[in-house]
């Protein structure tokens, strides 16, 4: 899971990041208005945790604009304002959930997991959308914008496996066993996966697949 934390309380966001890391959740933080908007608009996050009390942000307008641009983003509001009016206003702007400060980290994580599960259950089983790239499992094709991208069988299988495990760091062995259907220890030291990742980046966008040492996962 990838999470963006928009919060200016350093004690709170540092503790959240530490908590998420301990649970293998990738978390980024933004305390600046322009920085957080740039990240939210250019990177993929499963959940945006948004403190709606930040002095530099018109959270109503930001939440509305973010939702209009990326309809599938999940937003959890953090607020010290617990009135029904505040809550209804936020949810009317398509925020998915809210928590009133102070809160338990375990409750926040449970709400995040619930949102992601609902999104997966409500989404089409045959269409996976990653920003402007669509993987159509029924038609067995990949589209960027409205244009079909021609992929080889191995390219398609690799992208499909990454897309179906979006946000999860996948090792060479996992990819090799699931996409190439075999495993050879010599493959661990080959550049085969690197080459196919390069093919996909060239065809679908250079930032669509992230690399972390020996692991790959979709970030866009």
């Amino acid at each position: 899971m990838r999470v963006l934390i928009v919060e200016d309380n350093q004690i709170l966001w540092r503790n959240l990041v530490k908590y998420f890391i301990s649970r293998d959740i990738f978390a980024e933080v933004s305390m600046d208005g322009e920085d957080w908007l740039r990240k939210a608009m250019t990177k993929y996050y499963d959940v945006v945790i948004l403190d709606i009390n930040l002095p530099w942000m018109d959270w109503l307008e930001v939440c509305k604009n973010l939702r209009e641009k990326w309809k599938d983003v999940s937003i959890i509001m953090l607020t010290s304002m617990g009135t029904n009016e505040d809550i209804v206003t936020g949810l009317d702007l398509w925020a998915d959930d809210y928590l009133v400060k102070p809160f338990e980290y375990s409750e926040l994580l449970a709400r995040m997991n619930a949102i992601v599960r609902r999104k997966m259950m409500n989404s089409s089983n045959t269409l996976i959308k990653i920003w402007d790239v669509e993987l159509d499992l029924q038609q067995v094709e990949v589209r960027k914008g409205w244009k079909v991208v021609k992929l080889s069988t191995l390219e398609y299988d690799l992208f499909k496996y990454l897309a179906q495990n979006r946000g999860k760091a996948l090792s060479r062995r996992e990819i090799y066993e699931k996409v190439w259907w075999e495993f050879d220890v010599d493959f661990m030291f080959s550049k085969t996966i690197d080459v196919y990742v390069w093919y996909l980046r060239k065809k679908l966008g250079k930032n669509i697949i992230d690399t972390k040492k020996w692991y790959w996962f979709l970030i866009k």
Side-chain angles (χ1 to χ4, degrees):
M1 186 186 301
R2 293 180 61 86
V3 180
L4 175 62
I5 304 168
V6 186
E7 172 64 63
D8 64 349
N9 184 319
Q10 291 194 29
I11 295 176
L12 176 56
W13 69 251
R14 287 181 187 277
N15 287 336
L16 278 174
V17 169
K18 184 178 180 180
Y19 177 79
F20 288 144
I21 289 175
S22 71
R23 283 150 180 81
D24 296 322
I25 295 173
F26 178 88
E28 284 192 283
V29 178
S30 182
M31 298 180 290
D32 175 80
E34 292 184 2
D35 175 66
W36 105 261
L37 192 58
R38 175 185 58 79
K39 287 180 178 178
M41 294 300 186
T42 60
K43 295 184 178 182
Y44 170 79
Y45 299 96
D46 294 288
V47 179
V48 174
I49 299 172
L50 179 64
D51 183 345
I52 67 174
N53 304 313
L54 298 178
W56 44 260
M57 180 180 67
D58 181 348
W59 73 272
L60 291 171
E61 190 63 26
V62 168
C63 189
K64 180 181 178 181
N65 291 340
L66 181 61
R67 179 65 77 194
E68 287 177 347
K69 187 171 179 63
W70 304 118
K71 289 183 171 57
D72 62 341
V73 67
S74 296
I75 301 171
I76 296 180
M77 302 180 300
L78 298 183
T79 176
S80 58
M81 303 178 293
T83 68
N84 288 335
E85 182 179 356
D86 295 323
I87 293 167
V88 170
T89 299
L91 296 178
D92 278 347
L93 286 173
W94 304 293
D96 297 273
D97 206 346
Y98 73 94
L99 272 177
V100 178
K101 296 179 179 180
F103 57 88
E104 295 291 334
Y105 297 164
S106 58
E107 181 182 1
L108 173 60
L109 179 58
R111 289 172 181 257
M112 290 164 51
N113 288 332
I115 288 173
V116 172
R117 283 197 303 270
R118 287 198 301 269
K119 183 191 296 185
M120 293 178 63
M121 291 174 62
N122 293 332
S123 63
S124 169
N125 292 325
T126 61
L127 185 65
I128 301 175
K129 188 171 183 180
I130 304 162
W131 294 73
D132 63 336
V133 177
E134 290 184 345
L135 171 61
D136 192 327
L137 300 176
Q138 186 172 6
Q139 299 295 325
V140 194
E141 66 181 20
V142 174
R143 297 183 290 270
K144 185 174 176 63
W146 296 102
K147 184 178 179 182
V148 175
V149 180
K150 187 176 181 180
L151 299 179
S152 69
T153 300
L154 274 175
E155 289 170 353
Y156 176 85
D157 289 345
L158 175 57
F159 184 67
K160 176 183 175 182
Y161 183 58
L162 292 173
Q164 291 177 326
N165 292 274
R166 186 177 183 180
K168 178 183 177 183
L170 300 168
S171 68
R172 288 178 180 269
R173 179 162 191 157
E174 289 176 299
I175 294 173
Y176 192 40
E177 289 180 339
K178 297 296 183 179
V179 178
W180 275 261
W181 297 97
E182 58 181 315
F183 179 74
D184 184 336
V185 69
D186 292 335
F187 185 80
M188 292 291 293
F189 304 98
S190 77
K191 295 294 183 180
T192 303
I193 292 179
D194 306 67
V195 171
Y196 277 90
V197 167
W198 182 83
Y199 290 155
L200 291 176
R201 284 172 172 158
K202 185 176 181 181
K203 294 180 178 181
L204 303 177
K206 64 180 181 179
N207 294 323
I208 198 167
I209 301 174
D210 198 8
T211 304
K212 186 176 182 181
K213 203 170 182 179
W214 290 82
Y215 296 84
W216 292 266
F217 51 93
L218 294 180
I219 62 170
K220 294 281 187 168

